[in-house]
Amino acid sequence: MTTMSRADDASRRSRISRLFSRGAPPPAWLVVALACAGQFLVVLDVSVVNVALPSMRTDLGMSASGLQWVVNAYAIAFAGFMLLGGRAGDLYGRKRMFLVGLALFTLASLAGGLAQDGWQLLLARAAQGLGAAVLAPSTLTIVTSAVPEGAARARAIATWTAVGAGGGAAGGLVGGVLVDTLSWRWVLLINVPVGAVVLLGSLRRLPESRAGDGRRLDLPGAVLVTAGLGMLAYGISQTEAEGWTAAATLVPLAAGLALVALFLVVEARTAAPLMPLGLFRSRAVSSANTAMFLCGSAMFCMWFFMTLYTQNVLGYSPLEAGLALVPSSLAVLVGSKSAPRFMPVLGARNVAVLGSLIAAVGFGWQSLMTARGDYLTEIMFPGILMMLGAGLTATPLAALATSGAAPGEAGLVSGLVNTSRTMGGSLGLAVMSTIAAARTAESGGSRPEALTEGYALAFRTGAGVLLGGVVLMVVWLPWRRTAVPAGVPTGTGSSADRDATSTTSTTSTTSTSFEK
């Protein structure tokens, strides 16, 4: 090789290196925007396929049970691999796991959109869920590490929460538009160009962060918890079709509980656990995740039953149903963005309590629904209250949960937040669907009046669950009027104080949803 060619080669390598080097740290708003874009795709995909299910069944010749797994394959993989994704981000790098998860999610979306048979679509949906589980925990960790502790971080978490909630809320509308104007395939294919743009932007602009201290990933623990949560999610998904006492439900639920119990035994004995059990000694982590589970179990159901009510009872088209819920979608964004303004004044716990009370009032109002369905009083106003409360509740709970994490556990705690919400929503939807179906059967089958009675009972049950969550928050959530400034050392004072104020003080660069 000549001197000239070697110089040209070195110059070319230098240009490529500069192209992908981090250089100056990117602005925090750009980091937050990229992380939120990834979260939006993940949450949107939970709900966007619902309005396309009839078209999928007709085009691919799927059975009714097979069609159910278009939704369940994604949800089970998403919930089952969430903890593994969160821990992998801590050990191997948050940016790296964000890119891996987003790439898998985008490729799986392409495969699903091009599927020619039902099994191909189901396999693609499961792969999407796996990609989402790797991607989602990194989004919240990237956001919290990019912005210093304080009001700015609260606003960033609120943006993450609002984007996630907005993705779930917009799913019906986006899906309706795509199915009506193009085809069902575009509810999946739309992820491909968006995912590619976010992937390229993240590759160049997201900085890397990790807290792995050289440890290996706890593979036995990862296999056990993933299999356990997956079996639990499968058992829960069977309850609507088979009932709670059928072997198809009880066997996977029992197997899931046994695997989770074995996981806890392994984690207590291993030197480098996937989920250090001592993490739950933090009052903030344990109480906020429990509250997230309860609230998610009720609020997750809102979009599902409102969509059924508008279409099955009132005769709305998929697009009309999506448009009818636009005010609710806007309300959850308003709630999420307003929460940080109230948190320094009222405290994170009180804002979460206030949000849950507002949502409970909305659920109670919605339970008065009738088969005639006046839009203002039986869809719009109660929907606004339910989702305004959801937005106000999610931001302080997420902030409290992550404030109780050490830097090396941030990705794991982010995974726990998402897992709590997803698993709570899956369980809640299964229970509410069973309750609604039983009441509908008692009231005369598929008549609009009977369907309405079933949906109304589900909303009354949701209101009761939320009120129970309020009691739990008042008793258990730590009081925290303002965020601890970055750099203030934790670990001083009483254990109660540490629970209430422990936080990640790192400022190295780095939000779920009440989904349909």
Side-chain angles (χ1 to χ4, degrees):
M1 181 179 292
T2 66
T3 302
M4 182 66 71
S5 63
R6 285 196 297 269
D8 291 342
D9 185 59
S11 177
R12 184 166 54 253
R13 288 198 302 270
S14 177
R15 288 196 301 271
I16 294 173
S17 176
R18 286 196 305 270
L19 181 63
F20 292 103
S21 64
R22 287 186 294 179
W29 68 264
L30 179 58
V31 175
V32 172
L34 289 170
C36 286
Q39 177 73 353
F40 181 83
L41 283 176
V42 166
V43 175
L44 179 71
D45 217 70
V46 175
S47 57
V48 73
V49 301
N50 286 342
V51 297
L53 293 176
S55 299
M56 291 177 177
R57 181 178 183 181
T58 300
D59 192 22
L60 299 179
M62 302 179 69
S63 65
S65 60
L67 197 65
Q68 171 184 323
W69 281 98
V70 175
V71 176
N72 288 340
Y74 183 90
I76 290 174
F78 188 21
F81 285 94
M82 191 80 73
L83 287 178
L84 178 62
R87 181 47 116 186
D90 285 335
L91 296 181
Y92 304 128
R94 285 75 181 254
K95 174 182 177 179
R96 179 179 297 177
M97 290 299 103
F98 181 93
L99 295 175
V100 169
L102 182 57
L104 177 58
F105 180 87
T106 303
L107 291 173
S109 298
L110 177 62
L114 299 178
Q116 300 300 310
D117 203 348
W119 69 267
Q120 296 174 353
L121 178 60
L122 297 184
L123 186 61
R125 289 289 288 167
Q128 275 188 305
L130 175 58
V134 174
L135 166 65
S138 294
T139 62
L140 181 55
T141 310
I142 288 170
V143 167
T144 55
S145 296
V147 183
E149 179 75 18
R153 180 178 292 182
R155 289 193 297 270
I157 292 176
T159 300
W160 176 85
T161 304
V163 167
L173 178 58
V174 172
V177 171
L178 292 173
V179 173
D180 284 352
T181 59
L182 296 171
S183 78
W184 69 264
R185 297 182 181 276
W186 280 97
V187 301
L188 299 173
L189 292 176
I190 192 65
N191 295 327
V192 177
V194 178
V197 170
V198 177
L199 191 64
L200 289 174
S202 302
L203 183 64
R204 294 193 58 187
R205 302 299 293 170
L206 275 187
E208 184 60 279
S209 66
R210 73 182 71 194
D213 61 25
R215 292 184 297 174
R216 292 180 177 272
L217 187 65
D218 175 22
L219 290 179
V223 171
L224 286 171
V225 73
T226 300
L229 291 178
M231 291 297 291
L232 284 174
Y234 175 76
I236 291 168
S237 72
Q238 292 293 92
T239 58
E240 185 175 357
E242 304 291 341
W244 284 97
T245 59
T249 298
L250 294 177
V251 170
L253 285 177
L257 290 173
L259 288 170
V260 170
L262 183 58
F263 163 72
L264 295 176
V265 171
V266 170
E267 296 305 281
R269 296 174 179 271
T270 186
L274 174 69
M275 185 180 71
L277 300 183
L279 188 67
F280 291 98
R281 296 192 186 104
S282 167
R283 183 178 169 189
V285 172
S286 55
S287 61
N289 275 279
T290 304
M292 188 76 80
F293 182 92
L294 281 178
C295 292
S297 68
M299 294 176 181
F300 189 95
C301 301
M302 182 271 187
W303 301 110
F304 180 81
F305 286 112
M306 289 299 286
T307 301
L308 293 181
Y309 175 58
T310 54
Q311 295 187 54
N312 293 346
V313 175
L314 304 182
Y316 287 19
S317 70
L319 180 56
E320 289 170 338
L323 290 172
L325 297 177
V326 165
S328 303
S329 304
L330 297 177
V332 75
L333 300 178
V334 171
S336 298
K337 295 299 290 182
S338 300
R341 299 179 182 273
F342 297 120
M343 286 164 61
V345 178
L346 301 177
R349 180 187 66 179
N350 287 346
V351 174
V353 168
L354 175 63
S356 295
L357 287 173
I358 292 174
V361 171
F363 272 74
W365 187 352
Q366 188 63 58
S367 72
L368 303 177
M369 62 207 299
T370 65
R372 70 176 182 274
D374 180 75
Y375 174 70
L376 292 179
T377 59
E378 297 180 62
I379 296 177
M380 190 178 83
F381 290 144
I384 287 175
L385 288 179
M386 286 187 281
M387 289 298 99
L388 178 65
L392 284 172
T393 302
T395 298
L397 288 181
L400 283 169
T402 55
S403 74
E409 314 296 342
L412 175 59
V413 173
S414 298
L416 280 174
V417 170
N418 282 284
T419 299
S420 297
R421 180 177 295 177
T422 304
M423 294 303 295
S426 298
L427 175 60
L429 183 56
V431 172
M432 301 297 183
S433 296
T434 301
I435 291 173
R439 175 56 63 89
T440 296
E442 293 173 0
S443 303
S446 59
R447 295 182 301 108
E449 293 79 8
L451 290 171
T452 301
E453 288 193 29
Y455 302 153
L457 180 58
F459 280 106
R460 281 196 294 275
T461 304
V465 171
L466 288 171
L467 291 176
V470 167
V471 174
L472 180 144
M473 293 179 202
V474 171
V475 172
W476 197 7
L477 280 180
W479 168 261
R480 191 179 182 206
R481 181 174 295 275
T482 57
V484 179
V488 174
T490 60
T492 59
S494 67
S495 62
D497 292 336
R498 289 196 299 272
D499 285 334
T501 61
S502 63
T503 184
T504 301
S505 62
T506 179
T507 57
S508 63
T509 305
T510 166
S511 302
T512 104
S513 68
F514 294 103
E515 305 132 351
K516 184 180 300 181

